[in-house]
Amino acid sequence: MKRYENQKWKQSMRLRLDFNNMMSDMLGEEQGISKKSIDAMAGKLIEAAKALETKRAEGRMQWRDLPYNQKETVADILETAAKIKDKFEVFVVLGIGGSALGPIAVQQALNHLHYNELSKEQRGGCPRIYVVDNVDPERMEALFDVIDVEKSLFNVITKSGSTSETMAQFLIVHDMLKNRLGEEYRSHLIATTDKEKGNLIKIAGELGLKTYTIPEGVGGRFSELSPVGLLAAAVCGIDIEELLAGAAYMDEICKEEDVYKNPAYMAATLQYLAMKDGKNISVMMPYADSLKYMADWYAQLWAESLGKRYNQNGEEVFAGQTPVKALGVTDQHSQIQLYTEGPFDKVVTFLGVERYRTSMLISRGFEDIPAVSFLGGHTLNELIHAEQAATEYALLKAKRLNRTITLPEVNAFTVGQLLYFMEVETAFAGELMEINAFDQPGVEEGKNATYALLGRPGYEQKKAELDARPRKKNEYII
Ligand code: PA5
């Protein structure tokens, strides 16, 4: 029996959302959110919950079904991961945005923090992993300096099958593999993309590549629990079934319509009320290096889903809340001054960990200097917990909205819960804001302009539009 099949264990791994420091009874009426203002939205909250249920029932939010409907895919991924482990030394993800941030975040959360530097035995025989989510030529060359492409498997991931960055990476790798390996090169490529739309699926078909499908209704930033994230995780020894079990558990928790019983809905409601009160920045501050890239993943999810010019009625709203990434305790020494004394325009979300996967004692010493020796005998665990509590207190004292999501431990089950929680929170926030959280016209505009600038056929008009743009007049040579 797997541990996630045990109800008691699951309950012991349940995430906690502490939103006391968002409320007016802690922060005062001027800054805090009152229960009265939540209750005044009762009608809107039920309407939003019903709208999401309808979308789900109509198959427009298939990312919500990923914890349940991937039995065969998971079996296939596990089989493929075992083969990759046997044959390859390196696993490389070629992708960007939603096709890269999830794999990075989950890898960082669930594997050794210096995973790639471990020996193969220490990695349990799993390959090293690299996620190439840029087209900086120096970075690409640097990758080829540290991997042997002949011993590498490249997973090219793009939902649209046409993103310039990913396709450029693919073209380079495809050419390199073909030149070095001849016909055998195909076994070094796996394509993860839409079932029928886009160019990658056509290419994969022509070349006879192994493919995985990103299901309909699963947008890039909602795709970590699909083959986008599952293959990379499985290849690196992460228990993907436990990850999905954690997401399913959070789905159960988030099924209630009532915000007082649904933590993701409550989280979104408070963010919505905060935004209405001018809190247009959302800081995510994990107190764990393992969760550092969760803040990057969240930044994309929150920014791209909620940053919208138009609402669902086509009215201009210029909505959104700017995500900012911070790391506890590191950024206490770079950003907290601003958060405690700067403008009242932020909500800070702390990601805390109750039990770190290790404990480290601070050595005793310098007993003649009490201002140093007081640390000795404590653990780094106590210190990081104290620093988190102290920062929460400092923000509370300065009347700054903050909330804390605590993971009992960082494991596949709790990370699955966290990903799913943030996805549901985002979807519900989108509903409250009356915007479409699942499109990204602003990103598309940039993608189209890139196609035009590099001469993609069919984008001639866009190129003419770009050529007619005002030229730079105000420029210094510094
Ligand atoms: O969430 C999204 O849809 C985007 O951020 C995409 O993930 C990103 O633009 C990459 O797109 P694609 O997966 O189509 O290459």
Side-chain angles (χ1 to χ4, degrees), residues 20-201:
N20 280 299
N21 292 352
M22 299 286 287
M23 305 303 290
S24 54
D25 45 7
M26 297 295 278
L27 294 176
E29 290 297 329
E30 202 182 325
Q31 292 303 323
I33 296 166
S34 67
K35 186 171 176 302
K36 223 165 66 193
S37 58
I38 299 172
D39 295 341
M41 289 175 63
K44 187 176 173 73
L45 294 173
I46 290 292
E47 219 177 274
K50 291 210 181 305
L52 281 191
E53 271 162 39
T54 308
K55 279 190 184 149
R56 187 174 191 176
E58 288 173 357
R60 286 193 281 153
M61 292 206 309
Q62 287 181 17
W63 52 272
R64 288 208 67 164
D65 302 328
L66 295 173
Y68 308 106
N69 63 6
Q70 297 191 95
K71 230 176 161 169
E72 279 171 29
T73 308
V74 165
D76 187 304
I77 286 176
L78 291 175
E79 204 186 309
T80 305
K83 285 186 198 153
I84 293 173
K85 224 167 121 172
D86 279 348
K87 190 170 165 202
F88 296 100
E89 285 184 4
V90 176
F91 182 86
V92 183
V93 172
L94 305 177
I96 201 160
S99 301
L101 291 165
I104 295 171
V106 167
Q107 171 67 26
Q108 173 84 2
L110 297 176
N111 263 329
H112 192 282
L113 292 172
H114 294 289
Y115 175 85
N116 277 350
E117 288 142 62
L118 298 177
S119 68
K120 194 163 182 188
E121 290 69 46
Q122 288 171 314
R123 290 196 308 269
C126 297
R128 286 187 282 141
I129 181 170
Y130 295 91
V131 181
V132 191
D133 62 344
N134 204 350
V135 286
D136 179 336
E138 293 179 18
R139 174 156 164 197
M140 202 71 189
E141 188 169 279
L143 174 74
F144 295 132
D145 285 342
V146 297
I147 68 168
D148 178 350
V149 289
E150 294 177 27
K151 293 178 183 159
S152 303
L153 186 287
F154 296 86
N155 182 197
V156 48
I157 308 178
T158 165
K159 165 87 180 178
S160 62
S162 60
T163 303
S164 301
E165 295 88 339
T166 309
M167 295 315 283
Q169 293 168 354
F170 168 72
L171 285 166
I172 292 168
V173 166
H174 171 260
D175 189 50
M176 194 176 269
L177 285 172
K178 209 170 161 186
N179 287 337
R180 300 245 189 114
L181 297 164
E183 282 315 297
E184 204 257 315
Y185 83 95
R186 292 179 171 85
S187 63
H188 288 244
L189 287 163
I190 293 181
T192 304
T193 188
D194 190 88
K195 201 162 112 199
E196 48 199 21
K197 286 186 231 143
N199 306 313
L200 184 61
I201 193 67

Side-chain angles (χ1 to χ4, degrees), residues 27 52 123 280 304 326 345 372 382 421 474:
L27 294 176
L52 281 191
R123 290 196 308 269
N280 52 30
E304 218 167 282
D345 58 358
V372 171
E382 286 176 278
F421 172 85
N474 305 308

